[in-house]
Amino acid sequence: MNSQLRERVRDFLADHDPRAMERVDFLRARYDAGLAWVHFPVGHGGLGLEQALQPDVDRLFREAGAPDNRPGVNPIGLGMAAPTILAFGSDAQKDRFLRPLWTGEEVWCQLFSEPGAGSDLANVATRAVRDGDEWVVNGQKVWTSGAHNARFAILLARTDSSLPKHFGMTYFLCDMTDPGVDVRPLRQITGEAEFNEVFLTDVRIPDGQRLGDVGEGWKVANATLNNERISIGKSADRESGMLGVVASTWRERPDLRTPDLHDRLLRLWVDAEVARLTGTRLRQKLAQGQPGPEGSTMKLGFARIAQQLSGLEVELLGEKGLHYSDWTMVRPGHVDFNGRDAGYRYLRAKGNSIEGGTSEILRNIVAERVLGLPGEHRVDKNIPWKESAK
Amino acid sequence: MNSQLRERVRDFLADHDPRAMERVDFLRARYDAGLAWVHFPVGHGGLGLEQALQPDVDRLFREAGAPDNRPGVNPIGLGMAAPTILAFGSDAQKDRFLRPLWTGEEVWCQLFSEPGAGSDLANVATRAVRDGDEWVVNGQKVWTSGAHNARFAILLARTDSSLPKHFGMTYFLCDMTDPGVDVRPLRQITGEAEFNEVFLTDVRIPDGQRLGDVGEGWKVANATLNNERISIGKSADRESGMLGVVASTWRERPDLRTPDLHDRLLRLWVDAEVARLTGTRLRQKLAQGQPGPEGSTMKLGFARIAQQLSGLEVELLGEKGLHYSDWTMVRPGHVDFNGRDAGYRYLRAKGNSIEGGTSEILRNIVAERVLGLPGEHRVDKNIPWKESAK
Amino acid sequence: MSDLDLLYSDIEEDLRGSVRDLLEDRCDSDAVTRMYDGDRTVVESLWKSLTELGLAGLLVPEDRDGQGASAREAAVVLEELGRAAAPVPFLTSSVVATTLLLEGDSDLLAPLATGERTAALLVPWSLAPDAEIPAVSIDDDRLSGTVSTVAGALEADLFLVPVAAGSGLSVYAVEAHEASIVPLVSLDMTRQLADVTVDAAPGEVVVADAEQAVRRALDAGAALLASEQAGVARWCLDTTVAYVKDRKQFGRPVGGFQALKHRLADLYAGVESAAAAARYAAATLAQADPDAPVGASTAQAFNGDVAVLAAEEAVQLHAGIGMTWEHPAHLYLKRAKADQIALGTPGRHRARLAGLVGLPG
Amino acid sequence: MSDLDLLYSDIEEDLRGSVRDLLEDRCDSDAVTRMYDGDRTVVESLWKSLTELGLAGLLVPEDRDGQGASAREAAVVLEELGRAAAPVPFLTSSVVATTLLLEGDSDLLAPLATGERTAALLVPWSLAPDAEIPAVSIDDDRLSGTVSTVAGALEADLFLVPVAAGSGLSVYAVEAHEASIVPLVSLDMTRQLADVTVDAAPGEVVVADAEQAVRRALDAGAALLASEQAGVARWCLDTTVAYVKDRKQFGRPVGGFQALKHRLADLYAGVESAAAAARYAAATLAQADPDAPVGASTAQAFNGDVAVLAAEEAVQLHAGIGMTWEHPAHLYLKRAKADQIALGTPGRHRARLAGLVGLPG
């Protein structure tokens, strides 16, 4: 690590005692000092340095006992909204939104998916009609995690249905406290409601909260999604995650072991370990500035391994695998994929190959962008959206 | 079984002592008595009865010590050429070809596939140009089993390249002794040459050996292929075929057993047994007159199981699995899929998912014809063959 | 060997039609889903209608108030019950408990056959036919002990209880009201399990020297569970095929995308094979063929996994909507996963086959 | 823990470039295919060229006439050798035999490093690093016994022979001309095996008390075989992707059919993962990390199957042409299948991992 940067952190901590300050004041000061995300520009929480330096900065703050910005509470904001606002926002938008986003004062959610626009995200039907200096938005969004806690949303809406689907969309920053926004919990197969449906009825968005040009929504949304897809997870220890849970059960319950389950567990141990090494290698490539869409394969493997491991665990537990913790409809504050019981893990893991891009879509992406195989025949590519089959 | 039919066989055997007659004379007489294939019409080796009665007739002849027509030597003739000639042939063609075909005096082969027309069989480029009462044929065929022993071939050739691909083909019966026919062995990954390439240079075929109308070749060829694809194999005993070989090795060599291989073997035992039961059920449906394209699934399963079993066997043998019997280029008289050593079985089984329709094509057929899912986008369907991408 | 008939007779198809009509009428998936929130009202009326069709007595001879049918017919009923994820005690009472009582001469069989009473064998639902059978103890003619994760206990008014009697095993009948029943939050609430405790409960012997009889009852359960699994898998396939024909993305039905077509073709092959495996298990059971245990374990080893695969593919290919509470796919995923463990996992049945067909490890 | 570097240094990429150029020049697939008909002329000149690059001595310190490189560089060479299905004794002589000699102070190491001599360890090629090591017997300083299916014996002029010496094991060096060598018709003729018999042959001890040394040599072989397998898999993927882009059926490239695209996407993920697994095995071996045995067995368990899958998919997706003698795909199928057994099957390595990572059966 850059010794100048280290010194800057040390100086900041000397001037700001985390134990003596209000949490939010400390975070705001850290943002203003450019130590929030060092790869962001000066004036917007950063210093224009390499992203690879950030983990060390975070470590220094952690070691000093400083509060963090609770990244788990605002993943959409930090991971998707912030880089998109940075790339496409006006100075006014960056000034208004980035600081409270980073400090966690304003949590964000994502209003992209719709019942008719899942894998085919460019098929969004939610309309935004211009009315003077505002846009009037009507439609239904789905699979919105954290909508009930969010202050703002990134929103994709159709502004011109006479154009082919990819060209008639615009990207907005939507205030979730608008009276036209109705958030309803969406119950899942696990019994709980981690996600929401969001109904938008005459929601009025100032034109100043449009991100990018009118009709440029697809381009902006893709920038957002690329931030999602290249996220290849953190460096992980051996046997972390789902494997650790199952391996513990295996070690603690010799009575449950059978040769069949043993070989399956060992295969999955190998798969998970190799996936871990593959992730390490990809991160090393990224650090050397060789990122690429091959990161998509990580999510494919993660989903498959999590599903097979959790399925195996239910079988391994046998009689106990027939139990379930609780079917009560709750809205979990925090989703722990490895939490609760084996049945929960089994059911929840089914979502791993659907959310954030289905495994089918990811395989298309790998085949076309990495291997260069021909794309699918696109019947709806060049016809007005309103005339295409829905 | 029909007692009248039983009596007819008994009467025939009383008049024709198989021990006292020349083999070929006996077979010709059996054909003339309508006892060759009882579902064929009277006059062409049959009695116009149900096909389901044939196995019992064959059994009665077998029990009487009568020679059979060596069906293994002429599978293309009996299984594909004969029903197609019956369905599309003129009386003269039926009279000329069916009897020596059934008796085995004339063996048949199939000239359909070409280097550029594998899964896309309708893409044949071999040309047949009319010249008076004859057709002059030029082109190259491939994957022709038994070509070097065959007297005749069923041949698909393009007679009009200005029509879309499916409409410009015609079906012929080709004399393999024509001087323009050049048969060359095609060596396979097993080392041997089970198949041939056949080069056709100015081969002259009389118009009287055209089967079906000019331009009707695709329809006729499909009738031939349906005869191939609904073949769901004979009733088999448990642990027959590849499974029997591997199970024997397992029983004889306790020293080779490991828990990993044990569970894999048991899985394949179950898969093979269930495939056997599925075949039995399909044959029972056929006997009740409920045939259907679901028979295509049998070949899919057969190929997968044979490949996995033979792969397992090589691993099971370990050190011995690194041996191979013989790489010498030979032309086997008879192909025993389960013969020779484990390495041979492993390599040969790779063909099971390619020959007679690849597993990919069969899955398309099941998806479209059985499940009714939409067909592929066909870019070449309505354009002249000569203008389509090759 | 002469092949057993693996098709359905006209009578069997008629039976299927009646059961299917009734289930369409009285077993809607919303009512079944409500069981997960504790509302079990659908069970009683549905079971009553089914018993009125005489289904509870299918396996019982006519002279003991039953229908005198066979495992073949029971298998058809189970295919339909699986297809509807129906929450009735047919498998636990009319197959497992009934098969056990058929081995004795208890008067309790007749009321079971008519549906007047409902019984459950007190064993863990995960018990394989060749596993050690847990038994309660007996002292002074009173039974005491706990049996965990029992299926069908919540619907039963009569328990058949394996009791350790000397070196062997006897089965006693105990009135349900003599036992303490603790319902469990279960992975599959359409077959909710319970822990059952008896504490110095009175009972009467219904089958003495009963170990083999219990194993045969469990084997009958395993053989016929395969038909339920085939039904679950069939529903998943049919529903998914219908959905992908209808659901459009990128301007075309997603069922036209070849990767999905190939997966569904493979799944179709699996479902057809599961039907054949289940049919063979039922046919060998129906005629007490010596191959019946091989048939049962083969079908369990195969169908347990196929039903899970079919349900997993249904969820995946329905994508988002398949993950929701409002779509019934989750009922089948939970049923399939619980059925995979019921009466022995596929791995357990493969291990049993190793012994039965002479392929030791 | 600090992550080991799993990428390639510039020096390693340069090495790869030299090896690849040489193989493109001197290892054409027709010449390799002719080995199946007994024509082995390609081996000697190819091996000579490779040794002239100094590859035989990669693992040997500079003061013993080697290059002083590490397992990382040897792994890069093996990726390229796998990619070309090259028939040279690099793995057997320059990795396994060399690693073993590095544990002693034999003068034989230097001529191995320069390529002047070539050695083979006399063990069956299927032997796993943790298996019992077969040994010949010794009587009056003369060695007698037969070792079957030895790899690299046909190319070697020097054999390293495990000898049962009292309760332990010693390794002796024996001149190849003192032994009787029977070439075997092998599944993979590009690494043709032989049975080797010594009958009262003279030899000299090169490593005493050698059991652990032999195991370490086999483990080095297993760790680096994973790179060969990654190379085999990479060739299969690359060649198949190129073919399906070019091959048209139904008027369009078959690589545009989604079922094939998805299979190739999955295969790509497998090949990338195999590369990472091989890299970790090489990195831990290079710095004698205590995790090296886990790295080797993980890579063997994974890459053995991926290489076979890649070769099988290559044959299947080339369809007819992939089944022919004239297309090189068969060379890779045979190499991959033989490599799956070499130095322990994937199942064998999984069983070993169970012990190494504390997941007993």
Side-chain angles (χ1 to χ4, degrees):
Chain A
M1 177 180 181
N2 190 307
S3 64
Q4 227 180 331
L5 180 57
R6 193 193 313 265
E7 202 164 322
R8 189 187 278 262
V9 174
R10 209 172 292 144
D11 289 350
F12 177 85
L13 284 165
D15 293 347
H16 302 80
D17 180 354
R19 284 170 196 82
M21 289 176 75
E22 284 295 313
R23 186 176 166 280
V24 79
D25 292 334
F26 181 85
L27 291 171
R28 285 175 182 166
R30 177 173 163 187
Y31 181 93
D32 295 337
L35 295 167
W37 33 35
V38 296
H39 57 297
F40 270 50
V42 173
H44 293 115
L47 298 165
L49 302 175
E50 279 173 60
Q51 186 165 8
L53 296 167
Q54 187 64 41
D56 286 319
V57 172
D58 292 342
R59 188 173 43 73
L60 291 175
F61 276 98
R62 208 163 43 238
E63 288 169 2
D68 69 11
N69 61 343
R70 295 181 191 144
V73 172
N74 195 15
I76 303 284
L78 292 163
M80 301 174 74
T84 313
I85 291 171
L86 181 68
F88 291 92
S90 63
D91 285 342
Q93 288 170 333
K94 292 181 212 167
D95 288 342
R96 162 65 188 87
F97 293 111
L98 289 176
R99 193 167 92 152
L101 185 162
W102 186 81
T103 60
E105 292 165 84
E106 289 174 355
V107 169
W108 289 65
C109 68
Q110 179 194 19
L111 296 174
F112 282 13
S113 294
E114 299 182 8
S119 289
D120 184 11
L121 186 58
N123 201 36
V124 295
T126 291
R127 280 162 298 121
V129 178
R130 188 153 196 157
D131 180 23
D133 267 357
E134 293 184 324
W135 295 82
V136 182
V137 181
N138 282 281
Q140 183 192 348
K141 296 289 179 175
V142 76
W143 301 115
T144 315
S145 59
H148 52 298
N149 296 321
R151 175 62 211 281
F152 283 100
I154 46 179
L155 166 72
L156 191 59
R158 188 158 306 278
T159 43
D160 187 345
S161 64
S162 69
L163 295 173
K165 59 198 270 192
H166 292 92
F167 301 104
M169 289 173 289
T170 302
Y171 197 108
F172 297 96
L173 310 177
C174 173
D175 186 339
M176 293 294 283
T177 63
D178 189 286
V181 176
D182 179 16
V183 175
R184 300 182 200 164
L186 180 60
R187 196 172 183 186
Q188 286 169 272
I189 65 176
T190 52
E192 61 190 18
E194 209 181 294
F195 297 96
N196 301 277
E197 295 179 290
V198 178
F199 294 82
L200 305 168
T201 310
D202 292 335
V203 174
R204 301 190 79 86
I205 300 180
D207 190 53
Q209 285 172 219
R210 172 169 48 76
L211 199 67
D213 287 341
V214 173
E216 212 183 36
W218 184 243
K219 186 174 122 191
V220 183
N222 261 303
T224 302
L225 293 172
N226 283 339
N227 279 298
E228 182 177 23
R229 286 178 184 144
I230 64 163
S231 138
I232 53 172
K234 286 192 217 112
S235 174
D237 287 340
R238 183 173 282 168
E239 287 193 17
S240 54
M242 194 82 85
L243 176 60
V245 178
V246 185
S248 292
T249 305
W250 184 269
R251 292 187 179 112
E252 288 157 16
R253 297 290 306 273
D255 56 306
L256 298 175
R257 299 175 193 161
T258 69
D260 152 46
L261 295 168
H262 192 219
D263 194 60
R264 284 163 64 194
L265 176 61
L266 292 171
R267 282 175 191 270
L268 287 164
W269 192 96
V270 168
D271 286 356
E273 169 67 5
V274 173
R276 186 181 77 88
L277 296 171
T278 308
T280 302
R281 190 156 167 266
L282 271 169
R283 266 189 310 280
Q284 291 176 352
K285 277 194 190 180
L286 278 174
Q288 287 205 356
Q290 316 166 24
E294 65 265 39
S296 306
T297 64
M298 291 305 298
K299 183 170 175 296
L300 278 175
F302 165 75
R304 181 183 62 75
I305 293 168
Q307 290 171 354
Q308 292 186 0
L309 274 169
S310 58
L312 169 69
E313 189 190 6
V314 175
E315 279 184 78
L316 169 64
L317 289 171
E319 187 182 338
K320 196 76 189 169
L322 295 171
H323 288 238
Y324 193 78
S325 44
D326 187 2
W327 291 114
T328 310
M329 150 78 167
V330 293
R331 301 187 63 129
H334 171 70
V335 177
D336 179 0
F337 285 36
N338 301 328
R340 297 178 55 178
D341 62 353
Y344 174 83
R345 282 188 282 280
Y346 174 71
L347 296 174
R348 183 59 188 80
K350 293 287 164 272
N352 296 159
S353 51
I354 296 173
E355 59 203 351
T358 65
S359 289
E360 290 72 28
I361 290 292
L362 291 180
R363 288 193 191 95
N364 280 349
I365 288 174
V366 173
E368 293 170 20
R369 298 197 204 160
V370 184
L371 301 179
L373 294 172
E376 289 299 309
H377 173 61
R378 297 291 281 271
V379 292
D380 59 351
K381 197 158 183 172
N382 296 311
I383 57 172
W385 179 79
K386 62 186 173 191
E387 290 167 22
S388 65
K390 301 300 179 321
Chain B
M1 177 180 180
N2 189 310
S3 65
Q4 230 180 327
L5 181 57
R6 192 194 312 268
E7 203 165 322
R8 190 188 274 262
V9 174
R10 207 172 291 141
D11 289 352
F12 176 86
L13 284 165
D15 291 349
H16 303 79
D17 180 354
R19 284 170 195 80
M21 289 177 75
E22 285 294 317
R23 187 178 168 279
V24 77
D25 292 335
F26 181 86
L27 290 171
R28 286 175 180 167
R30 179 174 163 187
Y31 181 93
D32 294 337
L35 295 167
W37 33 34
V38 296
H39 58 295
F40 270 49
V42 174
H44 293 114
L47 298 165
L49 302 175
E50 280 173 57
Q51 186 165 9
L53 296 166
Q54 188 64 39
D56 286 319
V57 172
D58 291 343
R59 188 175 41 75
L60 291 173
F61 275 98
R62 207 162 47 236
E63 287 169 3
D68 70 10
N69 63 342
R70 295 177 191 150
V73 172
N74 195 13
I76 303 283
L78 292 163
M80 300 174 74
T84 312
I85 292 171
L86 182 68
F88 290 94
S90 65
D91 286 343
Q93 288 171 333
K94 293 181 210 168
D95 288 343
R96 163 65 188 86
F97 292 112
L98 289 177
R99 195 167 91 150
L101 185 163
W102 187 82
T103 61
E105 291 165 85
E106 289 174 357
V107 169
W108 288 66
C109 67
Q110 180 194 16
L111 297 175
F112 282 12
S113 293
E114 299 182 6
S119 289
D120 184 10
L121 186 58
N123 201 37
V124 296
T126 292
R127 280 160 299 121
V129 178
R130 188 150 198 158
D131 181 22
D133 268 357
E134 293 185 326
W135 295 81
V136 182
V137 181
N138 283 281
Q140 182 191 349
K141 296 288 181 176
V142 76
W143 300 114
T144 315
S145 59
H148 51 299
N149 297 319
R151 175 62 211 281
F152 283 99
I154 48 179
L155 166 72
L156 191 59
R158 188 157 306 276
T159 44
D160 188 344
S161 63
S162 69
L163 295 173
K165 59 197 270 193
H166 292 91
F167 301 104
M169 290 174 286
T170 303
Y171 196 108
F172 298 97
L173 309 177
C174 173
D175 186 339
M176 294 292 285
T177 63
D178 188 286
V181 177
D182 178 16
V183 175
R184 299 183 200 164
L186 180 60
R187 196 173 183 184
Q188 288 167 270
I189 65 176
T190 53
E192 62 189 18
E194 211 180 291
F195 297 95
N196 300 278
E197 294 180 291
V198 178
F199 294 82
L200 305 166
T201 310
D202 292 335
V203 174
R204 302 191 79 87
I205 300 180
D207 190 53
Q209 286 172 216
R210 173 171 47 76
L211 199 67
D213 287 342
V214 173
E216 213 183 36
W218 184 244
K219 186 174 121 190
V220 183
N222 260 303
T224 302
L225 294 172
N226 283 339
N227 279 298
E228 182 178 23
R229 286 177 184 148
I230 64 163
S231 138
I232 54 172
K234 286 196 218 112
S235 174
D237 288 340
R238 183 173 283 168
E239 286 193 17
S240 53
M242 195 82 85
L243 177 60
V245 177
V246 185
S248 293
T249 305
W250 185 269
R251 293 187 178 108
E252 287 158 16
R253 297 289 308 274
D255 55 308
L256 298 176
R257 300 174 193 162
T258 69
D260 153 47
L261 295 168
H262 192 218
D263 194 61
R264 284 164 64 193
L265 176 62
L266 292 172
R267 282 175 191 270
L268 287 164
W269 191 96
V270 168
D271 286 355
E273 169 67 5
V274 172
R276 185 181 78 86
L277 297 171
T278 308
T280 302
R281 189 155 167 265
L282 270 170
R283 267 189 310 280
Q284 291 175 352
K285 276 194 188 179
L286 277 175
Q288 286 203 358
Q290 316 165 24
E294 64 265 39
S296 307
T297 65
M298 290 305 297
K299 183 172 175 295
L300 279 174
F302 164 75
R304 181 182 61 77
I305 294 168
Q307 290 170 353
Q308 292 186 359
L309 274 169
S310 58
L312 170 69
E313 190 189 6
V314 174
E315 279 183 78
L316 170 63
L317 289 171
E319 186 182 339
K320 195 76 188 168
L322 294 170
H323 287 237
Y324 194 78
S325 45
D326 188 3
W327 291 113
T328 312
M329 150 79 169
V330 293
R331 302 189 61 129
H334 170 69
V335 177
D336 180 359
F337 284 35
N338 301 329
R340 298 177 54 180
D341 63 354
Y344 174 83
R345 283 188 282 281
Y346 174 71
L347 296 174
R348 182 60 187 80
K350 292 285 164 272
N352 296 160
S353 52
I354 297 173
E355 60 204 349
T358 65
S359 289
E360 289 74 28
I361 290 292
L362 291 179
R363 287 193 192 96
N364 280 348
I365 289 173
V366 172
E368 293 171 20
R369 298 196 204 160
V370 184
L371 301 179
L373 294 172
E376 289 298 310
H377 173 61
R378 297 291 280 270
V379 292
D380 59 351
K381 196 157 184 174
N382 296 310
I383 56 171
W385 178 79
K386 62 185 172 190
E387 289 168 22
S388 64
K390 300 300 177 320
Chain C
M1 55 183 156
S2 143
D3 289 331
L4 293 168
D5 181 8
L6 302 181
L7 304 180
Y8 304 104
S9 69
D10 290 344
I11 294 172
E12 285 162 9
E13 289 294 7
D14 286 349
L15 174 63
R16 178 196 304 285
S18 315
V19 176
R20 185 175 294 193
D21 288 349
L22 194 150
L23 290 167
E24 276 172 9
D25 220 33
R26 308 219 165 197
C27 183
D28 82 289
S29 66
D30 286 344
V32 176
T33 301
R34 281 195 293 274
M35 297 180 76
Y36 281 82
D37 288 321
D39 175 359
R40 293 175 49 85
T41 49
V42 65
V43 179
E44 197 174 339
S45 70
L46 179 60
W47 181 231
K48 187 158 180 293
S49 316
L50 287 164
T51 57
E52 281 163 9
L53 285 182
L55 299 188
L58 275 183
L59 297 181
V60 178
E62 288 174 81
D63 61 10
R64 294 176 84 178
D65 289 359
Q67 305 294 318
S70 81
R72 297 179 59 91
E73 287 80 8
V76 170
V77 172
L78 279 159
E79 285 182 29
E80 293 305 310
L81 294 177
R83 213 170 151 276
V88 290
F90 179 80
L91 182 58
T92 48
S93 181
S94 313
V95 175
V96 176
T98 295
T99 300
L100 181 54
L101 286 180
L102 279 166
E103 306 241 358
D105 56 3
S106 167
D107 291 341
L108 292 166
L109 189 61
L112 244 63
T114 59
E116 194 186 321
R117 301 203 65 176
T118 304
L121 173 63
L122 283 201
V123 294
W125 186 228
S126 55
L127 194 72
D130 61 338
E132 197 186 332
I133 302 162
V136 306
S137 63
I138 187 162
D139 185 28
D140 241 0
D141 276 348
R142 294 283 174 152
L143 312 180
S144 295
T146 296
V147 185
S148 54
T149 57
V150 178
L154 296 179
E155 298 84 0
D157 53 17
L158 181 72
F159 293 151
L160 305 182
V161 189
V163 176
S167 66
L169 200 74
S170 290
V171 171
Y172 281 61
V174 174
E175 294 295 323
H177 61 75
E178 302 281 358
S180 139
I181 303 164
V182 180
L184 300 172
V185 181
S186 306
L187 179 60
D188 174 17
M189 289 293 278
T190 69
R191 189 177 272 136
Q192 191 177 1
L193 308 173
D195 290 344
V196 178
T197 301
V198 285
D199 183 7
E204 51 162 320
V205 180
V206 286
V207 190
D209 197 9
E211 181 174 332
Q212 290 312 312
V214 171
R215 296 203 185 287
R216 277 190 293 272
L218 294 172
D219 234 343
L224 294 183
L225 175 62
S227 287
E228 175 176 310
Q229 289 162 327
V232 166
R234 180 75 67 185
W235 182 91
C236 292
L237 174 68
D238 290 350
T239 304
T240 305
V241 167
Y243 178 75
V244 300
K245 283 180 190 173
D246 187 55
R247 168 74 171 176
K248 291 192 183 68
Q249 292 276 272
F250 308 103
R252 42 190 274 224
V254 296
F257 286 91
Q258 199 192 35
L260 269 58
K261 288 166 68 175
H262 280 204
R263 279 161 66 173
L264 287 167
D266 284 338
L267 185 59
Y268 168 79
V271 171
E272 284 293 318
S273 300
R279 215 65 206 129
Y280 184 73
T284 50
L285 178 62
Q287 53 186 66
D289 190 297
D291 205 36
V294 171
S297 279
T298 299
Q300 272 310 301
F302 192 84
N303 291 18
D305 287 345
V306 167
V308 169
L309 174 67
E312 290 178 343
E313 286 287 70
V315 168
Q316 179 67 24
L317 298 184
H318 280 78
I321 186 75
M323 282 294 289
T324 64
W325 197 256
E326 73 191 62
H327 191 282
H330 71 100
L331 299 175
Y332 294 84
L333 181 64
K334 294 160 187 173
R335 173 66 71 92
K337 193 67 191 171
D339 277 2
Q340 191 184 37
I341 292 169
L343 297 161
T345 60
R348 176 93 209 196
H349 283 279
R350 284 194 296 274
R352 184 181 181 215
L353 281 170
L356 291 171
V357 306
L359 288 170
Chain D
M1 57 184 156
S2 145
D3 290 332
L4 292 169
D5 180 8
L6 302 181
L7 303 180
Y8 305 104
S9 68
D10 291 343
I11 294 173
E12 285 162 8
E13 290 293 7
D14 286 349
L15 174 63
R16 178 197 304 288
S18 316
V19 176
R20 186 177 292 194
D21 287 349
L22 195 150
L23 290 167
E24 274 170 12
D25 219 35
R26 308 222 167 195
C27 183
D28 83 290
S29 66
D30 286 345
V32 176
T33 300
R34 282 194 293 274
M35 297 180 76
Y36 282 82
D37 288 321
D39 174 359
R40 294 175 48 84
T41 48
V42 66
V43 179
E44 198 175 340
S45 69
L46 179 60
W47 181 231
K48 188 158 180 294
S49 317
L50 287 164
T51 58
E52 282 163 9
L53 284 182
L55 300 188
L58 275 184
L59 298 182
V60 178
E62 289 172 79
D63 62 9
R64 293 176 85 178
D65 287 1
Q67 306 294 317
S70 80
R72 298 179 60 91
E73 288 79 9
V76 169
V77 172
L78 277 159
E79 285 182 30
E80 293 305 310
L81 294 177
R83 212 169 152 276
V88 289
F90 180 80
L91 183 58
T92 48
S93 181
S94 314
V95 174
V96 177
T98 295
T99 300
L100 181 54
L101 286 181
L102 279 166
E103 307 240 359
D105 56 2
S106 168
D107 291 342
L108 291 166
L109 189 61
L112 245 61
T114 58
E116 194 186 324
R117 301 203 63 177
T118 305
L121 173 63
L122 283 202
V123 294
W125 187 227
S126 56
L127 194 72
D130 61 338
E132 197 186 330
I133 302 162
V136 306
S137 63
I138 186 161
D139 186 28
D140 241 0
D141 277 347
R142 295 283 174 153
L143 312 180
S144 297
T146 295
V147 185
S148 52
T149 58
V150 178
L154 297 179
E155 297 85 359
D157 54 16
L158 179 72
F159 294 151
L160 303 183
V161 191
V163 176
S167 65
L169 199 74
S170 291
V171 172
Y172 281 63
V174 173
E175 294 294 324
H177 62 75
E178 301 281 358
S180 139
I181 303 164
V182 180
L184 301 172
V185 181
S186 307
L187 178 60
D188 173 17
M189 290 293 277
T190 67
R191 188 176 272 136
Q192 190 177 2
L193 309 173
D195 290 344
V196 178
T197 300
V198 284
D199 184 7
E204 51 162 318
V205 181
V206 286
V207 190
D209 196 9
E211 181 174 333
Q212 291 313 313
V214 171
R215 296 203 186 288
R216 278 191 292 272
L218 293 172
D219 234 343
L224 294 183
L225 175 61
S227 287
E228 175 176 311
Q229 289 162 327
V232 166
R234 180 76 66 184
W235 182 92
C236 292
L237 173 68
D238 290 350
T239 305
T240 304
V241 167
Y243 178 75
V244 299
K245 282 181 191 173
D246 186 57
R247 168 75 171 175
K248 289 191 183 67
Q249 293 275 272
F250 307 105
R252 43 190 271 223
V254 298
F257 286 91
Q258 198 193 35
L260 269 58
K261 288 166 68 174
H262 280 203
R263 279 161 66 174
L264 288 167
D266 284 338
L267 186 58
Y268 167 79
V271 171
E272 284 294 317
S273 300
R279 213 67 205 127
Y280 184 73
T284 50
L285 178 63
Q287 53 187 66
D289 190 296
D291 205 36
V294 171
S297 279
T298 299
Q300 272 309 301
F302 192 84
N303 292 18
D305 287 345
V306 167
V308 168
L309 174 67
E312 289 179 344
E313 286 288 69
V315 169
Q316 179 66 25
L317 298 184
H318 280 78
I321 187 76
M323 283 295 289
T324 64
W325 196 257
E326 73 191 63
H327 191 281
H330 71 102
L331 299 175
Y332 294 84
L333 181 63
K334 293 160 188 173
R335 172 66 72 92
K337 193 67 191 172
D339 277 0
Q340 191 184 38
I341 292 170
L343 297 161
T345 60
R348 176 93 208 196
H349 282 279
R350 283 193 296 275
R352 184 182 181 218
L353 281 170
L356 292 172
V357 305
L359 288 170

